[in-house]
């Protein structure tokens, strides 16, 4: 009876699922997917290709881009579009501009744009050739002294100078095909301002592509904004490559398990092919990994991946919707594209690049054909046709946008198809999940029957499984702890061998001198013994610091945490070192800021007071060491009600910029300007960093100027409220 009742329930569920029109689910899935699309675009909005072309439009006029009247913001980028000075068939160096403000002959040319469309002497300019561009950018006084340029790939090689200093080069600029070397790569370059202006000189040569010149805008902005934009673009490319690669391998795995689903095979191959294509476009992940990658091979791969994608897509749709597809049209699309691929392989770049329009016409025809197939499938109520139609429509629109951008008919971006492709790929994953869900119903029916018959066995397995999971978690924790201990031991041994070699050698030499009778007088012997004693004391201190640091890294130190008000904490830290600082002849002050501090409602943090004394004391003693007599050390507490920030500023000798990223690394003492007065081993800041991070905070250098001082900060989060 129980088995019959279970069977009836399962059959009812299966009947309900099968009777549900599958089309009812598609609007819900589509709305959910579009919501994910909006969120993804919002994530990449400030630095993505889609929005970067729409932001902060500025136009140069007659070789000058005047930004002095603009409200310069640190989070904005400016596209250096508009009229640049243009010197055709001349590679003018920057020093020639310094001698002669307007070397002749000179024209004005709008960037971005290929120089093919311009007319010189009544004739259209060819794609091959070389030229020099020049632009003056006038900046507002409040603009950063250090800006950065984002330089797109150009056809096909270039050199760029800013204020007479070469900042970027791709390939080799030449005056003939034999003297020039093409390269496809995007770059960023620092732009140092002089008198609030930039003088950009750009040399471009092209003897390998149909179009020559600067086809994408050069962008100017703060270092943080440009790097963030580049990282976001690279991140999206990496996301797309990874998604396509994973989806391709996954679908091939599904096909290996079920060879009847040939549409899965073609879609998997299409994903793998386009994962390769994405590495060639945008930020060109492939050339970033291999900067010397052959340019001709890269361009051929770009055309081949586009051409071969059409046959794979046609075969995919012919297997997905065989009743709506046409074999004749499939053949009419596949055969020419295979022939075109062979043509690309055997032809030089100057021959097949002008045929891009042929490839794009076939792409357009394919889009019309594929959309008609999906529309018919939707009318015939095929499974999944609704969401496929929405995804393909978005994908088709993005492809059309890229083709129009390639012919300079729109000014958005040429990488919109990446978004469309991502949408289409994930729509297929939704369809595949739907199919698998149906298959799971049969499995659920069998599992339910087995559950009724084996309830007791299931409970036993469940209890044993829970016990195994708990044991596995305990074993994992022990393993992590052993791993940390092993790493700590390894670091300790390597560090001891790193810094004990020199003092041991010195001690050995002095002892051998005494043993060999080379020390003639008692005074000399006493001096030698004093040196040996100082070395031994230094080694003892070093070993103690190393052991303490290793314990901190392995989380083997017991912290005595206690809640304290930020005001009480900073006063205890400040007063302990007041006498030391003033005895060194330095001015020592304490200030309290922040919204919570101003209201007198100081926050509460949970800290180990003695450990924080170790952090604070290390920072204060470093400031005392490197601040000359008569200077100052200022301690500042910032309590905004969301956490505690302690800022220690001195007027000392400062830290070299090249040393800033490494000062918290153990044994890093390369800063010669700060090591002339001390023989420190570079462990104090490493220990301080471990203690602060144990508290859940962080420590960093906020700023440092040569001979003007250093500002180091550390933060501690608020104490967690216990319910």
């Amino acid at each position: 009876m129980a088995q019959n009742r279970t069977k009836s329930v399962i059959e009812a569920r299966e009947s309900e699922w099968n009777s549900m029109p599958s089309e009812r689910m598609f609007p819900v899935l589509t709305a959910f997917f579009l919501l994910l699309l909006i969120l993804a675009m919002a994530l990449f909005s400030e630095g993505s290709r889609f929005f970067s072309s729409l932001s902060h439009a500025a136009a140069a006029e007659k070789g000058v881009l005047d930004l002095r009247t603009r409200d310069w913001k640190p989070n904005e980028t400016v596209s250096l579009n508009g009229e640049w000075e243009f010197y055709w068939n001349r590679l003018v160096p920057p020093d020639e501009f310094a001698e002669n403000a307007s070397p002749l002959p000179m024209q004005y040319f709008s960037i971005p744009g290929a120089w093919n469309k311009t007319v010189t002497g009544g004739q259209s300019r060819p794609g091959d050739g070389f030229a020099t561009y020049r632009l003056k950018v006038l900046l507002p006084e409040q603009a950063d002294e250090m800006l950065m340029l984002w330089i797109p790939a150009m056809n096909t090689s270039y050199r760029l100078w800013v204020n007479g200093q070469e900042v970027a080069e791709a390939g080799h600029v030449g005056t003939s095909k034999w003297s020039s070397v093409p390269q496809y790569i995007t770059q960023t370059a620092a732009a140092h301002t002089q008198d609030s202006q930039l003088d950009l000189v750009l040399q471009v040569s092209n003897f390998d592509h149909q179009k020559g010149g600067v086809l994408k805008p050069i962008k100017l902005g703060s270092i943080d904004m440009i790097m963030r934009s580049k990282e976001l673009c690279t991140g999206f490319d990496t996301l797309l490559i990874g998604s396509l690669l994973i989806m391709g391998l996954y679908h091939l795995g599904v096909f290996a398990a079920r060879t009847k689903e040939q549409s899965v095979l073609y879609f998997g191959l299409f994903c793998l092919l386009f994962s390769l294509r994405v590495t060639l476009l945008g930020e060109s992940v492939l050339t970033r990994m291999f900067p010397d990658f052959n340019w001709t091979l890269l361009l051929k791969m770009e055309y081949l991946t586009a051409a071969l994608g059409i046959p794979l897509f046609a075969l995919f749709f012919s297997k997905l919707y065989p009743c709506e597809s046409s074999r004749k049209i499939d053949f009419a699309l596949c055969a020419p594209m295979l022939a075109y691929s062979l043509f690309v392989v055997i032809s030089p770049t100057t021959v097949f690049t002008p045929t891009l329009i042929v490839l794009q016409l076939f792409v357009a025809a394919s889009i019309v054909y594929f959309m008609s197939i999906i529309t018919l499938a939707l009318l015939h109520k095929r499974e999944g046709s609704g969401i496929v139609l929405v995804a393909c429509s978005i994908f088709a629109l993005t492809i059309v946008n890229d083709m129009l951008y390639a012919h300079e008919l729109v000014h958005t971006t040429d990488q919109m198809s990446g978004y469309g492709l991502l949408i289409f790929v994930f729509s297929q994953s939704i369809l595949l999940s739907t199919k698998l869900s149906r298959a799971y119903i049969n499995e659920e029916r069998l599992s339910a029957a087995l559950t009724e018959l084996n309830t007791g066995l299931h409970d036993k397995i469940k209890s044993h499984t829970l016990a195994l999971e708990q044991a596995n978690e305990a074993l994992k924790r022990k393993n992590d702890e052993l791993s940390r201990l092993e790493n700590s031991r390894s670091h300790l041994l390597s560090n001891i061998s790193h810094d004990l070699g020199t003092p041991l050698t010195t001690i050995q030499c002095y002892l051998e001198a005494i043993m060999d009778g080379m020390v003639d007088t008692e005074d000399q012997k006493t001096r030698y013994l004093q040196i040996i004693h100082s070395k031994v004391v230094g080694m003892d201190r070093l070993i103690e610091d190393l052991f303490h640091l290793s314990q901190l890294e392995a989380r083997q130190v017991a912290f005595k945490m206690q809640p304290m008000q930020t005001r009480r904490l900073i006063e205890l830290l400040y007063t302990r070192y007041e006498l030391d600082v003033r005895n060194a002849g330095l001015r020592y002050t304490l200030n309290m800021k922040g919204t919570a501090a101003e209201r007198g409602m100081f926050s509460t943090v949970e800290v180990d007071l003695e450990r924080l004394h170790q952090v604070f004391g290390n920072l204060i003693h470093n400031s005392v060491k490197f601040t000359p007599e008569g200077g100052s050390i200022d301690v500042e507490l910032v309590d905004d009600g969301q956490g505690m920030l302690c800022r220690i500023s001195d007027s000392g000798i400062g830290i070299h910029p090249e040393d800033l990223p490494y000062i918290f690394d153990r044994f890093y003492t390369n800063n010669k300007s700060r090591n002339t007065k001390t023989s420190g081993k570079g462990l104090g800041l490493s220990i301080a960093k471990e203690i602060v991070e144990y508290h859940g905070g962080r420590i960093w250098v906020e700023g440092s100027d040569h001979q003007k001082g250093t500002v180091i900060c550390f933060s501690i989060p608020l104490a967690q409220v216990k319910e």
Side-chain angles (χ1 to χ4, degrees):
M1 290 294 292
Q3 294 180 1
N4 293 334
R5 187 165 53 253
T6 302
K7 182 177 180 181
S8 300
V9 171
I10 297 302
E11 289 178 350
R13 291 178 181 176
E14 184 176 4
S15 176
E16 179 182 356
W17 176 272
N18 292 331
S19 62
M20 180 187 300
S22 58
E23 296 298 327
R24 293 180 185 176
M25 298 185 63
F26 296 142
V28 178
L29 293 174
T30 302
F32 174 75
F33 198 80
L34 290 178
L35 178 60
L36 291 181
L37 169 65
I38 294 172
L39 293 176
M41 286 190 171
L43 174 64
F44 290 95
S45 61
E46 294 185 27
S48 68
R49 306 182 188 99
F50 179 71
F51 287 89
S52 59
S53 59
L54 306 178
S55 61
H56 312 300
E61 296 182 0
K62 295 185 178 180
V64 178
L65 179 59
D66 192 349
L67 302 176
R68 291 176 295 183
T69 59
R70 295 176 62 88
D71 182 15
W72 189 270
K73 299 178 181 178
N75 62 341
E76 83 170 348
T77 59
V78 177
S79 297
L80 304 183
N81 298 341
E83 296 179 341
W84 289 47
E85 294 181 12
F86 185 69
Y87 306 91
W88 176 243
N89 278 346
R90 291 196 62 185
L91 298 179
V92 185
D95 53 358
E96 187 172 333
F97 286 107
E99 299 171 1
N100 183 1
S102 299
L104 298 177
M106 187 262 286
Q107 298 175 279
Y108 294 107
F109 185 81
S110 293
I111 285 182
W115 62 45
N116 307 51
K117 292 187 176 182
T118 59
V119 177
T120 302
Q123 295 182 346
S124 297
R125 188 174 289 126
D128 56 342
F130 54 94
T132 301
Y133 299 82
R134 185 191 183 200
L135 177 69
K136 285 188 176 181
V137 182
L138 305 180
L139 298 169
E141 294 183 358
Q142 69 270 25
D144 295 338
E145 294 183 1
M146 175 69 78
L147 300 174
M148 180 166 280
L149 293 167
W150 181 84
I151 310 165
M154 303 181 191
N155 290 349
T156 52
S157 57
Y158 66 86
R159 295 178 69 187
L160 177 64
W161 290 265
V162 177
N163 293 329
Q165 181 179 1
E166 184 174 353
V167 296
E169 180 179 15
H172 182 74
V173 177
T175 57
S176 66
K177 181 176 179 60
W178 317 113
S179 62
S180 63
V181 177
Q183 186 179 20
Y184 184 94
I185 189 173
T186 62
Q187 300 187 72
T188 56
H192 301 267
T193 61
Q194 291 182 358
D195 299 327
S196 296
Q197 73 173 23
L198 299 174
D199 189 357
L200 279 67
V201 177
L202 175 65
Q203 295 180 357
V204 182
S205 66
N206 173 52
F207 296 94
D208 298 274
H209 199 277
Q210 174 196 8
K211 294 183 178 181
V214 185
L215 305 183
K216 299 179 182 179
I218 301 173
K219 296 173 184 176
L220 174 69
S222 65
I223 293 179
D224 291 341
M225 192 59 190
I226 292 294
M227 292 305 298
R228 182 168 180 247
S229 299
K230 186 175 181 65
E231 289 172 359
L232 285 173
C233 292
T234 304
F236 179 77
D237 285 346
T238 306
L239 170 66
L240 187 55
I241 293 169
S243 300
L244 290 172
L245 186 62
I246 291 173
M247 291 299 296
L249 295 175
Y250 175 70
H251 281 78
L252 291 181
V254 172
F255 173 75
R258 185 175 174 81
T259 56
K260 290 178 61 177
E261 296 289 341
Q262 295 187 13
S263 62
V264 174
L265 168 65
Y266 295 123
F267 185 75
L269 294 175
F270 174 81
C271 290
L272 294 179
L273 180 69
F274 267 70
S275 67
L276 173 62
R277 177 174 175 78
V278 175
T279 64
L280 313 173
L281 304 175
E283 291 298 318
S284 187
V285 176
L286 184 63
T287 55
R288 293 188 67 180
M289 295 174 58
F290 307 101
D292 298 327
F293 195 85
N294 184 271
W295 182 87
T296 302
L297 178 59
L298 184 143
L299 191 62
K300 286 179 180 287
M301 291 169 60
E302 179 181 342
Y303 276 68
L304 285 173
T305 51
L308 294 176
I310 294 177
L312 287 176
F313 219 57
L315 292 172
F316 165 66
F317 273 103
S318 67
K319 299 300 181 181
L320 187 64
Y321 302 117
C323 297
E324 288 75 20
S325 302
S326 170
R327 290 188 177 182
K328 293 182 179 180
I329 299 179
D330 290 340
F331 180 80
L333 289 176
C334 296
M337 285 296 95
L338 294 176
Y340 182 83
S341 300
L342 180 61
F343 167 72
V344 169
V345 171
I346 64 177
S347 301
T349 57
T350 53
V351 174
F352 70 77
T353 52
T355 64
L356 176 63
I357 185 64
V358 176
L359 176 60
Q360 291 178 339
L361 288 175
F362 268 93
V363 172
S366 301
I367 290 174
V368 175
Y369 173 57
F370 297 147
M371 294 302 295
S372 64
I373 292 177
I374 304 170
T375 303
L376 289 174
L378 182 63
L379 294 176
H380 296 162
K381 298 182 179 181
R382 303 298 183 192
E383 181 183 1
S385 57
I387 194 170
V388 173
L389 179 61
V390 174
C392 279
S393 299
I394 297 175
F395 190 22
L397 289 174
T398 57
I399 292 175
V400 172
N401 170 83
D402 289 358
M403 292 192 298
L404 294 176
Y405 184 91
H407 292 284
E408 302 178 39
L409 298 177
V410 296
H411 299 284
T412 53
T413 175
D414 64 340
Q415 296 300 316
M416 281 292 293
S417 58
Y419 292 96
L421 181 58
L422 189 62
I423 292 172
F424 182 79
V425 168
F426 279 104
S427 70
Q428 295 305 305
S429 68
I430 291 176
L431 293 178
L432 185 60
S433 299
T434 304
K435 291 182 179 179
L436 293 176
S437 297
R438 292 183 178 276
Y440 290 154
I441 288 181
N442 292 328
E443 182 181 353
E444 181 183 359
R445 176 172 57 83
L446 297 175
S447 298
L450 290 174
T451 301
E452 290 289 337
L453 297 174
N454 302 290
T455 303
L457 179 61
H458 178 270
D459 292 339
K460 290 181 181 180
I461 293 175
K462 186 176 181 180
S463 63
H464 287 304
T465 302
L466 180 60
L468 288 174
E469 289 177 351
Q470 293 174 347
N472 184 53
E473 288 295 328
L475 183 61
K476 184 179 179 181
R477 288 194 297 270
K478 291 294 183 182
N479 184 57
D480 292 340
E481 183 178 352
L482 289 174
S483 177
R484 286 197 303 270
L485 289 173
E486 176 61 23
N487 289 334
S488 176
R489 185 191 64 81
S490 176
H491 285 311
L492 180 62
L493 291 176
S494 63
N495 290 332
I496 290 175
S497 63
H498 173 275
D499 217 56
L500 293 187
T502 300
L504 284 175
T505 302
T506 304
I507 292 172
Q508 180 182 355
C509 292
Y510 281 118
L511 288 175
E512 289 177 353
I514 295 174
M515 294 170 61
D516 294 341
M518 298 176 63
V519 180
D520 299 331
T521 65
E522 286 297 325
D523 291 341
Q524 189 175 10
K525 181 177 180 180
T526 301
R527 189 170 67 256
Y528 275 33
L529 290 175
Q530 288 175 345
I531 294 173
I532 293 172
H533 179 265
S534 66
K535 295 293 182 181
V536 171
V537 171
M539 290 169 59
D540 182 66
R541 187 185 307 113
L542 174 63
I543 292 173
E544 182 180 354
D545 287 346
L546 282 172
F547 182 71
H548 185 50
L549 179 58
S550 298
Q551 283 187 314
L552 287 170
E553 290 177 341
R555 295 295 187 264
Q556 296 297 307
V557 178
F559 278 68
K560 300 178 181 178
M561 309 297 284
Q562 59 179 326
M564 293 188 68
Q565 267 198 347
T566 56
R567 178 177 181 176
R568 175 62 177 163
L569 174 61
I570 199 66
E571 287 176 347
L572 290 174
L573 296 176
Y574 174 82
T575 54
R576 177 178 287 192
Y577 305 96
E578 185 173 8
L579 185 60
D580 294 341
V581 176
R582 300 197 187 282
N583 288 340
L586 304 177
R587 185 172 59 86
Y588 192 44
T589 62
L590 172 63
N591 296 311
M592 300 186 189
K593 296 181 179 180
T595 55
E598 292 172 357
R599 295 195 305 266
M601 301 175 63
F602 291 90
S603 304
T604 300
V605 292
E606 193 170 357
V607 298
D608 184 323
L609 181 59
E610 289 304 317
R611 301 293 180 189
L612 280 190
H613 270 302
Q614 191 174 358
V615 174
F616 190 84
N618 184 279
L619 299 180
I620 292 296
H621 288 151
N622 278 349
S623 296
V624 171
K625 287 179 185 178
F626 304 115
T627 303
E629 186 175 353
S632 64
I633 298 177
D634 299 319
V635 179
E636 183 177 276
L637 166 69
V638 180
D639 187 346
D640 57 2
Q642 299 182 2
M644 167 187 169
L645 184 143
C646 180
R647 180 181 289 112
I648 300 175
S649 309
D650 63 52
S651 58
I653 62 177
I655 305 173
H656 284 304
E658 60 268 21
D659 294 323
L660 286 176
Y662 312 105
I663 65 169
F664 294 103
D665 295 348
R666 61 172 71 197
F667 289 113
Y668 188 78
T669 57
N670 289 340
N671 189 357
K672 298 179 178 59
S673 66
R674 294 176 64 89
N675 285 330
T676 56
K677 299 172 60 179
T678 180
S679 59
K681 299 304 179 182
L683 291 176
L685 289 178
S686 298
I687 294 174
K689 179 174 180 289
E690 290 293 333
I691 294 174
V692 171
E693 289 182 351
Y694 187 94
H695 283 80
R698 67 186 188 99
I699 186 170
W700 71 97
V701 179
E702 188 175 83
S704 183
D705 294 327
H706 184 57
Q707 299 300 333
K708 293 184 179 180
T710 301
V711 181
I712 297 183
C713 303
F714 68 88
S715 63
I716 303 294
L718 294 181
Q720 297 292 329
V721 179
K722 297 182 179 180
E723 297 181 358

